[in-house]
Amino acid sequence: ACRDLYLMHVRVQGEIVYLNRHKRNRNVQMQLKETASSGNKSEGADIREKSPEEENAIGMEDGMEGTNNGQELYQQEVRLSSYRQRFLQLFTVPRIRRAAQAGFAVMIAQQLCGINILAFLSSTIFADASESSPVTTSQSLRDIYNLKALWMSFGFGLSNFVFTWLAWGNIDKKGRRFLLNWSFPCMCITLLGAALSFLISHDRESLRLGFIVLFVILFTIAYSAGEGPVAFTLSSEVFPLLNREVGMSFSVFWNLLGAGIVALTVPQLAYALKPTGLLGLFAGLNLVAWALVFFLVPETAQENLENMNDIFEVSTIEHFRYRIVCLKWSFNYYIRKRDPDRSDEPDPLAVWAKERERRWGDETRRAWSAGVSS
């Protein structure tokens, strides 16, 4: 237990050393320079070239030993940086900015998927689905339909809670991106099915209501096992510890802003488009949300702080290119049945980006050498 606590302590301090490469906090940077110079003096005899792993370990140790009055780097950085500065770092520090993009994508996608149109208007939608003839139905029958709609709304909420266990068992085993890439297409299909079910004639009430309830429950399962819990899990882990509270607040802000916009606009849309048009609209928005998370959200399951930094060091353009490469390989492997031994499967994002950068550097050096020799 002591070893694990110390490892966490070292990683947190090392994360501050890592992030200070991008920040313009002169006080901390001056401390790091003083630490490096004092470390060089104490190690005067050791002049051999060190490996990247050794440099990283020394940097972490120096970062912890070079603070004034025995304070740790993390605590001093918290004291020196204000909440406003940490908020601005969401836009100015590349690694944190890409984490904010990922948090924004999964949170706004939660509102685009349409879960809140059912949460806000489920009773109205189910009441419309239950009525056999909206014009001639008597008041007593309307009361029965409304009570039935309330019970179906309760079933919607209960299924939303119960089926979250599917995500609990797979969010680390299968990964965040696996659940997201499974969740959005299923939500799109089930919402579209619910929308088309409203076109069934009112004369066939049982069939009409049965299909609507079936597709709504399937939609809820797809949401509860994927986008629902993943959005908050991923947003809470992508930011460095120093910026985590402001980063999570920023992500939740977009989620609640989207919920407010949905609450203000959906009643008017439901009146103008009717249930079929409204559910069909959000079925299409699920595809937009899927594109957002596919190209902006990397896999973060079971990654430590160092690996998380490597992942978010990859630029957005490179991440986009990587996803195109993955799509091409998936098409060849699953559709065209090529590469059966998966030898051409792309490496994880950070490894792929480093290898691509290395190859680009080698090609540049060869081109420069050829130009000099000619």
Side-chain angles (χ1 to χ4, degrees):
C2 291
R3 178 200 63 194
D4 291 342
L5 286 173
Y6 180 72
L7 179 62
M8 293 168 59
H9 167 76
V10 169
R11 283 178 170 171
V12 169
Q13 306 302 322
E15 188 179 66
I16 298 300
V17 175
Y18 170 85
L19 291 175
N20 276 324
R21 298 183 308 159
H22 304 291
K23 296 178 183 177
R24 295 180 180 178
N25 189 330
R26 294 185 178 180
N27 294 330
V28 175
Q29 287 183 350
M30 289 177 61
Q31 280 190 348
L32 293 177
K33 290 180 180 179
E34 292 174 0
T35 301
S37 62
S38 62
N40 289 337
K41 290 179 181 179
S42 63
E43 299 174 1
D46 188 6
I47 59 174
R48 67 179 178 86
E49 184 178 355
K50 297 179 176 59
S51 66
E53 291 78 9
E54 290 175 320
E55 293 288 352
N56 185 42
I58 292 173
M60 293 166 67
E61 293 174 359
D62 288 346
M64 290 185 290
E65 294 174 0
T67 52
N68 293 333
N69 301 323
Q71 289 183 329
E72 302 292 358
L73 250 184
Y74 174 76
Q75 284 76 14
Q76 185 167 13
E77 182 74 357
V78 172
R79 181 176 60 84
L80 291 175
S81 61
S82 64
Y83 189 88
R84 175 179 172 273
Q85 289 174 319
R86 295 197 289 272
F87 175 76
L88 293 177
Q89 288 164 6
L90 296 178
F91 310 96
T92 57
V93 179
R95 182 259 184 264
I96 306 176
R97 183 173 63 246
R98 296 182 194 110
Q101 288 176 356
F104 161 80
V106 292
M107 286 298 195
I108 206 67
Q110 193 173 72
Q111 301 305 322
L112 292 176
C113 76
I115 186 64
N116 278 337
I117 67 172
L118 295 177
F120 297 157
L121 298 176
S122 59
S123 298
T124 302
I125 292 173
F126 287 132
D128 290 342
S130 300
E131 292 186 6
S132 59
S133 178
V135 177
T136 60
T137 302
S138 64
Q139 184 60 43
S140 60
L141 285 178
R142 285 181 180 274
D143 292 340
I144 294 175
Y145 291 145
N146 288 336
L147 182 60
K148 187 187 296 186
L150 289 175
W151 277 110
M152 286 187 284
S153 265
F154 174 77
F156 158 75
L158 182 64
S159 61
N160 194 7
F161 168 76
V162 169
F163 288 103
T164 305
W165 69 269
L166 293 173
W168 177 79
N170 292 292
I171 195 167
D172 284 325
K173 185 185 301 182
K174 298 290 187 180
R176 281 69 161 146
R177 279 186 58 85
F178 174 85
L179 295 181
L180 291 174
N181 288 328
W182 173 87
S183 180
F184 283 106
C186 291
M187 287 192 289
C188 174
I189 294 170
T190 52
L191 265 191
L192 185 61
L196 295 177
S197 298
F198 275 92
L199 299 178
I200 299 175
S201 172
H202 284 279
D203 297 334
R204 309 176 69 180
E205 178 190 348
S206 298
L207 181 65
R208 169 189 167 96
L209 183 60
F211 273 112
I212 291 173
V213 172
L214 172 65
F215 282 116
V216 167
I217 295 299
L218 291 177
F219 169 83
T220 308
I221 294 173
Y223 171 81
S224 301
E227 166 64 10
V230 170
F232 288 89
T233 301
L234 190 139
S235 297
S236 66
E237 68 186 2
V238 295
F239 296 98
L241 189 61
L242 184 68
N243 304 85
R244 189 159 294 176
E245 80 282 12
V246 65
M248 187 62 181
S249 301
F250 176 79
S251 301
V252 174
F253 161 78
W254 286 107
N255 186 289
L256 298 182
L257 177 64
I261 294 173
V262 167
L264 292 174
T265 58
V266 163
Q268 287 75 19
L269 289 173
Y271 178 78
L273 301 177
K274 305 306 180 184
T276 299
L278 180 66
L279 296 178
L281 171 64
F282 277 90
L285 290 177
N286 267 285
L287 298 179
V288 176
W290 188 19
L292 273 177
V293 300
F294 187 85
F295 288 108
L296 293 179
V297 179
E299 182 57 77
T300 59
Q302 300 183 5
E303 299 288 357
N304 57 34
L305 292 176
E306 292 83 0
N307 293 344
M308 201 79 77
N309 291 332
D310 292 338
I311 290 170
F312 287 103
E313 273 294 312
V314 180
S315 69
T316 303
I317 297 297
E318 286 297 296
H319 189 191
F320 186 90
R321 289 171 179 162
Y322 174 74
R323 294 305 165 193
I324 296 297
V325 171
C326 291
L327 280 177
K328 291 179 179 178
W329 179 84
S330 299
F331 177 78
N332 289 329
Y333 181 76
Y334 292 105
I335 306 300
R336 303 177 69 182
K337 303 299 181 182
R338 294 184 177 181
D339 190 27
D341 57 351
R342 304 173 75 102
S343 59
D344 294 332
E345 183 177 5
D347 293 321
L349 174 61
V351 178
W352 178 88
K354 288 181 179 179
E355 180 63 22
R356 178 181 168 85
E357 183 179 2
R358 185 190 63 79
R359 289 200 305 267
W360 183 84
D362 293 342
E363 291 173 0
T364 303
R365 283 191 292 271
R366 283 197 297 268
W368 181 82
S369 301
V372 170
S373 61
S374 61

